[in-house]
Amino acid sequence: MTIRVLTGITTTGTPHLGNYAGAIRPAVRASEQPGVDAFFFLADYHALIKCDDPARVARSRLEIAATWLAVGLDPERVTFYRQSDIPETTELCWFLTCVTAKGLMNRAHAYKAAVDQNEAKGVEPDDGVTMGLFSYPVLMAADILLFNAHKVPVGRDQVQHLEMARDIAQRFNHLYQGDFFVLPEVQVEEEVATLPGLDGRKMSKSYNNTIPLFEGGAKALRGAISRIVTDSRQPGEPKDAEASHLFTLYRAFAQPDEVAAFRRELETGLGWGDAKQILGDRLERDIAPMREKYNELMANPARIEDILQAGASKARKLASPLMARLRDAVGLRTLSAGPAAGKGAGKKAAKDARFVSFRDTDGSFRFRLLAADGEELLLSDSHADPKAAGALMRRLQQADVQLREQADGVEILLEGAVVARGPGQADKVRQALDSLRQE
């Protein structure tokens, strides 16, 4: 079974060494495993919640995209896209917003933290709280549910948002009586490498203690390493490797035999200056080839844009059909599809085969024939006019059609011309069409 895994990267900063070791490197390696269908996206809508500096957001989108590609993310193997290039994301976000209880959002950790801070300051509880901050768990749910991801790797601080996404999906499925969404499973990253920064605390932009990954080149990397805080032990004095930030950083990148050798040198009196030189050499060995690719990409943003647009097109081929089905479910059908059933008839409608019309990414109009369980049986050819697509749906319900079995599915012919194709069995397609004619 293929497992779909989805990861979002908020575009508000420049990746540093800690980001690479803790999140980027393991995510890229995981995407290369067999049976994994990986989705990576630049969460630039989420960035607007945290940052109101447009230049910073724009720069971060470029730097983060270049970083992921430079470290080995294969856009041919994974689906790599920008959140803002998928209009179905915001449409689904609104659908989900309309079924999400305000009380659920009241319990979100980020919102509660903001309220607590305001109360501590003696100001209004919602002072400075935007609707973006308040309801961003719904946007996060839309990111996940749009592609029916099975697993979402997150840190423990994000577990609540995954639980909310499950709650929202269940609410929608129940309200509209269908299995529209997979309930995503949280994948807690327990083994994430947390690198120490220059001062020994967790490497973080908030602490201003980061080591650059690519920005500033080898000089900036060496300069940061030279500022790592060490103890006062002189050359010749044994060092405690386990208590050394230098050793922790080295161990995150070196092979076991290299780690053992570095430990021995520290414990037999290696000077801190020489230790920093060894750490710099080891990091440069890994980072230099990636930095070269990063610089090439940064110098050619059009190439990155092409990759992201190709990824968006790939993503929308999945997103558009789902949104067509959801529009049908909530009653936002094209008029040619017939009147919407009342809510009392929802359960019966959910059990029947049905046509679902939609507008494709190229602007043309198509429809699908779905079985009672939601399985896609047929996909029509494209039509420039929605009326033509609607007329063809009616003909398929009224006329005897010819079904032609192929090695990879079935074709539907009218007057000798193929008008729709599907991956299903001919008998199942025929039964679905017969059920529609009997309505």
Side-chain angles (χ1 to χ4, degrees), residues 272-353:
W272 289 125
D274 291 334
K276 290 178 179 180
Q277 180 67 40
I278 291 172
L279 173 61
D281 292 343
R282 186 59 189 82
L283 292 179
E284 187 66 13
R285 192 194 317 168
D286 281 358
I287 292 173
M290 297 188 294
R291 185 193 300 123
E292 182 178 356
K293 187 173 181 181
Y294 173 84
N295 290 336
E296 291 173 359
L297 288 163
M298 290 294 290
N300 189 4
R303 181 183 170 195
I304 300 177
E305 183 68 26
D306 288 344
I307 291 170
L308 291 172
Q309 289 299 327
S313 177
K314 187 176 174 182
R316 293 195 69 198
K317 286 179 181 178
L318 293 172
S320 296
L322 175 61
M323 287 310 304
R325 186 180 172 210
L326 298 180
R327 289 186 207 108
D328 179 77
V330 302
L332 304 184
R333 305 173 177 87
T334 59
L335 298 182
S336 60
K343 190 168 183 178
K347 187 169 289 187
K348 178 181 183 301
K351 293 182 178 179
D352 293 337

Side-chain angles (χ1 to χ4, degrees), residues 16-28:
H16 54 70
L17 195 68
N19 298 142
Y20 172 68
I24 299 173
R25 182 174 61 183
V28 171

Side-chain angles (χ1 to χ4, degrees), residues 46-64:
H46 286 285
L48 302 183
I49 299 169
K50 303 177 181 180
C51 179
D52 59 4
D53 181 349
R56 179 180 169 187
V57 172
R59 179 70 181 180
S60 180
R61 295 201 311 170
L62 176 62
E63 290 175 341
I64 291 176

Side-chain angles (χ1 to χ4, degrees), residues 127-370:
D127 185 60
V129 175
T130 66
M131 285 306 299
L133 172 65
F134 180 71
S135 61
Y136 90 89
V138 184
L139 178 57
M140 184 172 173
D143 293 325
I144 297 165
L145 300 178
L146 185 60
F147 300 106
N148 276 320
H150 300 105
K151 293 183 181 294
V152 183
V154 296
R156 287 210 167 271
D157 60 334
Q158 292 288 318
V159 169
Q160 185 196 45
H161 296 136
L162 264 293
E163 293 171 347
M164 287 180 167
R166 288 174 62 91
D167 289 344
I168 294 168
Q170 287 177 312
R171 171 65 177 160
F172 192 98
N173 286 348
H174 174 75
L175 185 64
Y176 291 104
Q177 300 172 353
D179 294 327
F180 302 103
F181 299 121
V182 169
L183 301 186
E185 295 181 15
V186 63
Q187 183 174 312
V188 178
E189 301 290 88
E190 299 283 12
E191 300 300 320
V192 169
T194 300
L195 297 189
L198 304 181
D199 56 4
R201 292 182 293 176
K202 175 185 175 181
M203 193 179 297
S204 170
K205 290 186 286 290
S206 301
Y207 298 145
N208 193 29
N209 68 348
T210 61
I211 297 174
L213 179 60
F214 298 137
E215 288 299 296
K219 183 177 180 180
L221 176 66
R222 298 275 188 178
I225 292 171
S226 71
R227 298 194 301 276
I228 293 175
V229 175
T230 58
D231 61 33
S232 59
R233 298 182 203 188
Q234 298 300 311
E237 292 184 68
K239 314 295 190 296
D240 183 353
E242 289 299 327
S244 166
H245 312 321
L246 287 173
F247 182 73
T248 302
L249 288 163
Y250 188 89
R251 184 168 51 191
F253 291 87
Q255 298 301 313
D257 59 332
E258 295 174 313
V259 173
F262 190 49
R263 179 194 292 273
R264 285 193 301 271
E265 290 190 73
L266 286 171
E267 292 175 348
T268 55
L270 181 70
W272 289 125
D274 291 334
K276 290 178 179 180
Q277 180 67 40
I278 291 172
L279 173 61
D281 292 343
R282 186 59 189 82
L283 292 179
E284 187 66 13
R285 192 194 317 168
D286 281 358
I287 292 173
M290 297 188 294
R291 185 193 300 123
E292 182 178 356
K293 187 173 181 181
Y294 173 84
N295 290 336
E296 291 173 359
L297 288 163
M298 290 294 290
N300 189 4
R303 181 183 170 195
I304 300 177
E305 183 68 26
D306 288 344
I307 291 170
L308 291 172
Q309 289 299 327
S313 177
K314 187 176 174 182
R316 293 195 69 198
K317 286 179 181 178
L318 293 172
S320 296
L322 175 61
M323 287 310 304
R325 186 180 172 210
L326 298 180
R327 289 186 207 108
D328 179 77
V330 302
L332 304 184
R333 305 173 177 87
T334 59
L335 298 182
S336 60
K343 190 168 183 178
K347 187 169 289 187
K348 178 181 183 301
K351 293 182 178 179
D352 293 337
R354 62 198 184 279
F355 284 114
V356 176
S357 57
F358 66 97
R359 191 166 190 173
D360 213 340
T361 55
D362 60 1
S364 64
F365 297 87
R366 308 176 81 175
F367 62 84
R368 300 176 187 276
L369 174 62
L370 302 179

Side-chain angles (χ1 to χ4, degrees), residues 42-82:
L42 304 180
D44 47 359
Y45 281 148
H46 286 285
L48 302 183
I49 299 169
K50 303 177 181 180
C51 179
D52 59 4
D53 181 349
R56 179 180 169 187
V57 172
R59 179 70 181 180
S60 180
R61 295 201 311 170
L62 176 62
E63 290 175 341
I64 291 176
T67 296
W68 282 80
L69 294 170
V71 303
L73 189 70
D74 183 357
E76 297 298 322
R77 184 184 182 96
V78 307
T79 304
F80 184 47
Y81 60 97
R82 233 174 351 221

Side-chain angles (χ1 to χ4, degrees), residues 26-44:
V28 171
R29 288 175 178 172
S31 73
E32 297 167 350
Q33 299 301 310
V36 173
D37 181 17
F39 281 61
F40 292 87
F41 69 96
L42 304 180
D44 47 359

